[in-house]
Amino acid sequence: MQTESNPIKNESDKDKEYGKKPHRLPLAKILNAGVALSCAALLFIYISKNWELYDRIPGGRKLLFGLAVLALVVTAGVRLYKAFGFTQLLKIPLILWQNVKVRSAVPLIALMLAALVLRLWSINFGLPYLEQVDEWAVADRALHIVQTGNFDPLDYRNPVLPDNDRQAFTYPSLYTYLQSGVFAARFLAGVAADKYTGTGGLDALTVKPDFYLWGRALTVLLGAGTVLLVFVIGSRWYNRRVGLTGGLFLTFFYLHFINSRYITTDVPSGFFAILPFLLILPILKGSEKKWLYLATGILCGLAIGTKYNNALIILPLVLAHLLGRSPRKWLNWNLPLAGVGTFAGFFISSPFIFFHLPNFLTDIAAIINHYQNSGHPGYEGENNWLFYLQALGQNNLLTLWLGLGGIALAFARHLKQDVTLLAFPLISFLQLSSYKVNFTRNLMPIIPFLAIFAAVALVWLVEIALKYLPGAFARYNRFVLAGLSLVVILFPAIDIATHANLNAQPTARVRATEYIEKNLPAGSKLYIEPFSVELLPRDNYRLEGGSALKYPPEWYAANGFNYLVLSEAYHKESRTTGKDSIKAAYNALIDGPRPAGLELEQDFQVNGKDKPGARVIILRTTLKTVSRNTQDYQIQRPTDVKLGNDIRLIGANYPDSLQAGSALNLALYWQAINAPTRNYTVFVHLLDENGKIASQLDLPPLGGTRPTSLWRPGEITRDDYPLPLPANLAEGKYRIVVGMYEPPNGARLTLSNGSDSIEVGTVSILKAS
């Protein structure tokens, strides 16, 4: 059958057809291009942050970045609407919820979000200061690694510690190495942001806090990761309900929460202590795979490499091997292989222990002596098992009781998994309780297991209870378990929220630092106790420090100090457990009546509502930083010599005689006649009988914290110079000569008689004893 063929269209016909219906680019392609261009714009704006053109645009780079984000949101939103329609978009959550896997993942996702959010809430506690006294042991060593590339803990020198006691192996090195990786990432991010050009100055007091927040974030992740491990291990060793309930209990365990924001080994030790149990279970079930034993051993070694207390993690591995098979299969190469893995894991985490074995043994001996014999004032007890139980139950009483119930249930059931899982936390608790010293943070490896056994007890109780109720109630067992779990965590959740909100506020140290920068005059000389205001800018203030009781009250003003700063974090132990004379001296400084010559400048108290940290007190001496009245200063040797047109020397303080090898403490009193326009440097020369310089010191006034260009007419400034004297300096009379010059050319200010120096007086130098 013939059919008529379609006529072939010539080019003119095609042109006519296109003319009737012009081609249009599909909207979907336009939106796709919009999404791509928005992303490209965001990337360009990010990498071109130093482009000068941004300064000429109103709103600058931030406005353009916001517009690009808005364009991305709009184009992506319209594209989704075009693809699915409004009704389908609304149905997406319902479709996902109908998926069993998605629905079962929701509780775990919610649990992990809660664990992360709670631990991130007050991650900035105390910053830029490190409020936890042991954070430096990890943080500063990790930063030293980034600076030097030297992973040997013995290479780091803490300036506070003597050189023969560097405490290099007080902690294993694994967490320090992990932190060095985080700090290296922070450094590279800082380089990309044009914040750093090299690693040279990263250990400066004002720079280090920039790294601390990143370091704490790693602890937060490991703390939340421990919650995930509790869920996984609880689910595998028992069932999913135990896993979820145990994870919930750990999320809201107060002690674990407050320690999850510090750069210490405590929370990480809990993470690495529970990690091997992922592989111990197959061994308990009879697996003979050699790689499994080796991998489990490596994880055990990493746990020990986080904190030495975790050495007991070997016990459950051995128990799993013994309980998981008949006695005739005990003797094989699997356990030795696990031992090799444990050694390998520990060596990987802390290799330099084996290269400095005497130092390691010395530090271990010091730790044992500290915990068992010498003690730690304020952190000691006779019945530490009771102390630790009280600490666990102070904010989580119901969790503690359930945990003890779960442990009792484990003893009653004699199940292999109960015995194996209980071995590590139980023996660890007994070990901690045997020491003289008690630190609650040492409980971090135990708390995850307590959460699991608390969940075991609650799930068991619900199952038993529902057996004696009508069958209809069995359908609601999940809701009963969830309701009881919420009751258990209710009060801990309130305590955690209160604590997190409090510690997200500036601490007393931060408030004191801000107060000083805002209210105390530049150039002030402060004597500060440790753990107070060390981060004050050294170009504005002169800082020296130690115990406030090191010198009598009148010494501070006599030696040029304008303020004395007390820190409760430093003197708390001395004030509570020290000698009666020490207690009385601190009580007088803090609560009054204060000694003559010291007055309260500001008291930064703390409370449990909105003022966290340790109390800081600023006391004012009788010596003013700047004054226009000579009566405010005790000028022992008055003079009146004009230097140049703007400055004159009105007096000095110095001793009549002193020994060679000591320091000549010279105090000069300058007064501005006019406002100097330039910054000068002071020179101090000690001349012998022949006019030869025996010692000299060149410094800008007040150590550069108050340059002469800031002096105002009539202002008087006391300026201190500790002139070092050589030990071999011959006995005799020496002249003290001072003056000022302008760097860098060295041109000196002249006197009215044409001289360029002032002879302040003479001092007798005695032979060194």
Side-chain angles (χ1 to χ4, degrees):
M1 177 177 173
Q2 281 188 323
T3 58
E4 185 177 351
S5 60
N6 293 326
I8 300 175
K9 296 180 181 180
N10 55 33
E11 292 298 323
S12 60
D13 293 334
K14 291 181 180 180
D15 292 340
K16 291 178 181 178
E17 183 175 330
Y18 291 151
K20 295 177 181 177
K21 190 176 181 180
H23 176 71
R24 293 182 180 178
L25 192 63
L27 179 60
K29 292 185 177 181
I30 297 175
L31 293 172
N32 291 341
V35 171
L37 289 174
S38 299
C39 292
L42 286 172
L43 179 62
F44 177 79
I45 294 171
Y46 175 77
I47 64 177
S48 63
K49 53 184 172 295
N50 295 322
W51 195 17
E52 296 180 356
L53 183 62
Y54 291 133
D55 297 331
R56 306 175 189 174
I57 302 173
R61 179 169 170 262
K62 290 183 178 180
L63 176 63
L64 293 178
F65 192 86
L67 291 175
V69 170
L70 180 63
L72 177 61
V73 171
V74 171
T75 53
V78 175
R79 182 67 182 89
L80 289 173
Y81 172 78
K82 181 71 175 176
F84 299 102
F86 186 72
T87 305
Q88 285 297 110
L89 285 175
L90 292 179
K91 289 182 179 180
I92 288 177
L94 181 60
I95 295 171
L96 290 174
W97 183 253
Q98 290 173 345
N99 186 299
V100 176
K101 291 183 178 180
V102 172
R103 189 164 65 247
S104 62
V106 169
L108 178 59
I109 294 172
L111 187 66
M112 293 306 301
L113 285 175
L116 273 173
V117 169
L118 287 176
R119 284 154 178 76
L120 285 170
W121 192 342
S122 56
I123 191 176
N124 64 327
F125 171 63
L127 294 180
Y129 293 101
L130 290 180
E131 292 291 342
Q132 216 283 356
V133 295
D134 287 332
E135 280 189 277
W136 70 267
V138 174
D140 288 2
R141 282 194 171 97
L143 199 56
H144 179 75
I145 291 172
V146 174
Q147 286 187 281
T148 64
N150 192 330
F151 285 78
D152 188 349
L154 205 59
D155 187 64
Y156 173 74
R157 292 174 173 84
N158 187 328
V160 178
L161 299 175
D163 194 53
N164 61 350
D165 182 26
R166 300 185 192 173
Q167 299 180 11
F169 302 106
T170 300
Y171 301 101
S173 301
L174 177 60
Y175 198 50
T176 300
Y177 293 160
L178 293 177
Q179 284 289 345
S180 67
V182 173
F183 287 175
R186 176 65 191 101
F187 169 73
L188 294 176
V191 172
D194 201 23
K195 194 170 186 177
Y196 310 119
T197 56
T199 61
L202 299 184
D203 58 346
L205 288 175
T206 53
V207 176
K208 287 195 292 186
D210 193 34
F211 290 82
Y212 293 158
L213 192 63
W214 283 54
R216 286 182 173 184
L218 178 59
T219 307
V220 166
L221 290 176
L222 291 179
T226 310
V227 173
L228 179 61
L229 286 177
V230 165
F231 164 77
V232 174
I233 290 168
S235 300
R236 291 184 179 180
W237 285 64
Y238 297 100
N239 55 60
R240 181 180 172 82
R241 293 180 184 179
V242 169
L244 279 174
T245 307
L248 182 68
F249 289 165
L250 183 61
T251 296
F252 291 94
F253 208 100
Y254 186 82
L255 281 180
H256 193 268
F257 153 76
I258 62 174
N259 283 280
S260 291
R261 61 172 178 232
Y262 297 128
I263 309 175
T264 61
T265 59
D266 305 305
V267 167
S269 71
F271 175 87
F272 284 100
I274 200 169
L275 187 61
F277 286 86
L278 291 174
L279 302 182
I280 288 176
L281 182 60
I283 295 176
L284 182 63
K285 290 182 176 180
S287 176
E288 299 290 346
K289 295 177 180 177
K290 287 181 170 47
W291 71 264
L292 188 64
Y293 278 86
L294 180 63
T296 306
I298 291 174
L299 292 183
C300 290
L302 294 178
I304 302 170
T306 311
K307 204 164 186 178
Y308 300 122
N309 298 24
N310 284 346
L312 293 172
I313 198 65
I314 299 171
L315 290 177
L317 173 57
V318 174
L319 274 176
H321 176 76
L322 298 178
L323 296 177
R325 54 204 36 80
S326 61
R328 58 189 174 85
K329 293 184 178 181
W330 286 355
L331 297 178
N332 54 37
W333 289 104
N334 287 340
L335 270 186
L337 191 60
V340 171
T342 301
F343 177 83
F346 184 64
F347 183 83
I348 292 170
S349 66
S350 305
F352 290 95
I353 283 177
F354 301 95
F355 303 127
H356 303 294
L357 197 57
N359 301 86
F360 166 69
L361 294 176
T362 299
D363 285 346
I364 289 295
I367 295 171
I368 295 173
N369 186 56
H370 177 218
Y371 271 84
Q372 194 65 44
N373 302 315
S374 61
H376 195 114
Y379 297 90
E380 300 173 5
E382 294 292 332
N383 300 308
N384 280 336
W385 66 271
L386 183 59
F387 167 81
Y388 284 125
L389 286 178
Q390 290 173 338
L392 291 168
Q394 184 174 1
N395 301 93
N396 293 85
L397 185 59
L398 292 178
T399 307
L400 174 62
W401 279 112
L402 284 171
L404 294 176
I407 293 170
L409 182 63
F411 277 105
R413 296 192 305 189
H414 296 293
L415 297 179
K416 291 188 297 184
Q417 68 260 39
D418 289 343
V419 174
T420 306
L421 194 63
L422 184 59
F424 171 75
L426 182 60
I427 302 301
S428 295
F429 183 84
L430 295 175
Q431 180 194 44
L432 291 177
S433 300
S434 68
Y435 296 145
K436 180 180 181 179
V437 172
N438 51 47
F439 292 124
T440 57
R441 53 197 176 96
N442 287 334
L443 293 169
M444 293 309 109
I446 297 174
I447 290 175
F449 296 92
L450 182 66
I452 291 176
F453 280 103
V456 168
L458 186 59
V459 170
W460 180 81
L461 287 172
V462 171
E463 290 175 351
I464 293 298
L466 290 177
K467 283 183 179 180
Y468 295 95
L469 293 175
F473 287 94
R475 294 182 301 174
Y476 302 102
N477 56 358
R478 289 181 299 174
F479 300 102
V480 173
L481 180 61
L484 291 175
S485 299
L486 293 177
V487 171
V488 171
I489 68 165
L490 176 61
F491 289 107
I494 295 173
D495 291 341
I496 287 173
T498 302
H499 183 89
N501 183 64
L502 167 66
N503 287 281
Q505 310 304 319
T507 62
R509 294 174 77 182
V510 174
R511 289 185 286 123
T513 303
E514 293 174 350
Y515 174 87
I516 291 173
E517 291 189 77
K518 184 177 180 181
N519 296 282
L520 302 193
S524 296
K525 190 176 182 181
L526 291 82
Y527 190 92
I528 63 174
E529 285 195 322
F531 311 116
S532 57
V533 291
E534 296 89 343
L535 296 184
L536 280 172
R538 304 300 172 109
D539 55 349
N540 287 342
Y541 300 97
R542 296 167 293 162
L543 305 179
E544 295 181 23
S547 170
L549 302 186
K550 186 176 181 180
Y551 304 104
E554 64 276 7
W555 179 89
Y556 295 102
N559 285 271
F561 288 95
N562 310 108
Y563 299 93
L564 173 63
V565 183
L566 305 174
S567 170
E568 183 184 38
Y570 174 76
H571 62 243
K572 183 178 181 179
E573 288 186 23
S574 300
R575 192 183 177 194
T576 54
T577 61
K579 298 179 180 179
D580 290 340
S581 58
I582 294 177
K583 293 179 183 178
Y586 265 121
N587 288 336
L589 288 175
I590 294 168
D591 299 322
R594 294 183 176 85
L598 292 174
E599 298 179 357
L600 179 65
E601 170 71 22
Q602 193 74 302
D603 185 354
F604 297 91
Q605 298 191 12
V606 298
N607 58 35
K609 184 180 179 182
D610 59 354
K611 295 178 180 178
R615 185 180 178 188
V616 174
I617 296 176
I618 303 175
L619 301 180
R620 182 175 59 250
T621 71
T622 56
L623 179 64
K624 292 186 177 182
T625 306
V626 176
S627 176
R628 284 181 163 81
N629 190 349
T630 56
Q631 295 180 355
D632 290 330
Y633 301 97
Q634 297 179 353
I635 302 177
Q636 298 171 359
R637 305 173 191 270
T639 186
D640 188 1
V641 182
K642 186 178 179 183
L643 266 176
N645 297 320
D646 303 322
I647 300 170
R648 64 176 179 172
L649 180 68
I650 63 172
N653 295 349
Y654 57 89
D656 293 325
S657 62
L658 69 161
Q659 291 183 336
S662 59
L664 170 61
N665 292 316
L666 174 66
L668 302 175
Y669 295 89
W670 305 104
Q671 186 175 38
I673 303 172
N674 302 303
T677 58
R678 299 180 181 181
N679 292 323
Y680 300 106
T681 295
V682 176
F683 67 86
V684 178
H685 293 171
L686 189 68
L687 306 180
D688 61 14
E689 294 178 350
N690 300 318
K692 183 180 178 181
I693 297 177
S695 181
Q696 74 177 75
L697 186 65
D698 292 53
L699 288 173
L702 284 78
T705 59
R706 194 176 182 85
T708 52
S709 60
L710 297 181
W711 293 5
R712 295 295 174 261
E715 287 184 350
I716 301 171
T717 300
R718 170 174 167 150
D719 199 11
D720 292 275
Y721 293 88
L723 183 66
L725 303 180
N728 60 354
L729 199 61
E731 288 187 294
K733 293 278 188 181
Y734 289 80
R735 292 182 295 140
I736 303 172
V737 176
V738 303
M740 286 188 178
Y741 64 87
E742 182 184 359
N745 57 28
R748 292 186 178 184
L749 294 180
T750 57
L751 282 61
S752 58
N753 61 5
S755 174
D756 58 7
S757 63
I758 304 170
E759 184 171 329
V760 176
T762 60
V763 61
S764 297
I765 303 299
L766 308 178
K767 187 177 181 181
S769 58

